[in-house]
Amino acid sequence: REETSAAAQALQRERCAMVAEDTTGKSFRRTVAAECERRAAAGAPLERDQAVFVDVKAVLRMRRSELLHQDALEEQKAKAEQKLLREQEMQKECEYREWRQHVRAERCLQQVQKDLAPPRAADIPEPRRPDPQDAYRERELEQRLVLEASVRSAAEKASLLKARGGS
């Protein structure tokens, strides 16, 4: 029984809290609607005082003009920086080409001077000294050639003699 009584009391408290919440919500909505109507009836603050309205518009126009001018200046500055960078790149390229041409001319001049200069003693190859083995080999080759020629000649003579009937 006590449990049912406690549950009933909790339910009753919950219902009272919901009713209070609904009432507060309706009251808030009524207050907001009334405030909106009051402000709408009063009109915009700047429209009530025409002099302030005109001054605010003038300030806003001036600020807009300043911003446009500032944007134009920034754009001009960016263009000038790009132009300067392009000119610097062109200058670097021109200097590089001049340097490259100068180096090429120097190398060509050095080559011509080298070609026209008399050879230095260090540049002339030392004459080859005859190797004693070379002379020996050369003599041996000559003797072999003579021997082969003699053998061929003897073979030819022998075949001619045989053909004539000699022994």
Side-chain angles (χ1 to χ4, degrees):
R1 186 145 167 90
E2 285 182 23
E3 288 179 12
T4 359
S5 169
Q9 286 177 356
L11 185 60
Q12 185 61 31
R13 274 193 309 259
E14 186 69 29
R15 286 183 181 154
C16 286
M18 285 195 288
V19 168
E21 191 176 307
D22 289 344
T23 306
T24 304
K26 289 177 185 175
S27 172
F28 177 75
R29 282 193 291 266
R30 279 194 302 268
T31 304
V32 167
E35 181 63 20
C36 288
E37 286 179 24
R38 185 186 69 75
R39 287 186 181 189
L46 294 180
E47 290 176 0
R48 281 182 265 153
D49 189 358
Q50 192 62 28
V52 172
F53 181 70
V54 170
D55 290 342
V56 167
K57 282 183 95 174
V59 167
L60 290 174
R61 271 195 305 274
M62 189 177 351
R63 180 63 182 149
R64 184 171 186 264
S65 171
E66 289 173 358
L67 290 174
L68 290 174
H69 181 68
Q70 186 178 7
D71 287 346
L73 288 177
E74 288 176 5
E75 186 177 333
Q76 286 177 349
K77 182 179 176 183
K79 285 181 180 179
E81 288 175 358
Q82 289 175 351
K83 182 179 178 184
L84 180 63
L85 286 174
R86 280 194 307 271
E87 289 173 355
Q88 287 175 343
E89 287 296 320
M90 289 173 60
Q91 180 66 27
K92 284 181 184 178
E93 181 67 25
C94 183
E95 288 173 0
Y96 170 73
R97 288 174 192 250
E98 288 174 5
W99 172 82
R100 192 176 67 187
Q101 184 64 29
H102 176 73
V103 168
R104 184 176 184 279
E106 283 293 319
R107 287 181 181 161
C108 289
L109 179 63
Q110 289 173 359
Q111 186 63 41
V112 167
Q113 288 173 347
K114 181 181 174 186
D115 292 345
L116 295 177
R120 299 180 307 167
D123 294 339
I124 299 173
E126 192 173 307
R128 192 172 156 210
R129 294 183 186 156
D131 187 12
Q133 288 284 334
D134 288 344
Y136 173 74
R137 287 186 192 124
E138 194 173 315
R139 263 187 271 134
E140 184 182 353
L141 181 63
E142 287 175 6
Q143 289 175 359
R144 191 179 308 138
L145 290 174
V146 169
L147 180 63
E148 287 174 4
S150 298
V151 168
R152 261 186 275 140
S153 172
E156 288 175 8
K157 286 180 183 178
S159 66
L160 279 177
L161 280 177
K162 276 187 181 180
R164 287 189 193 158
S167 49

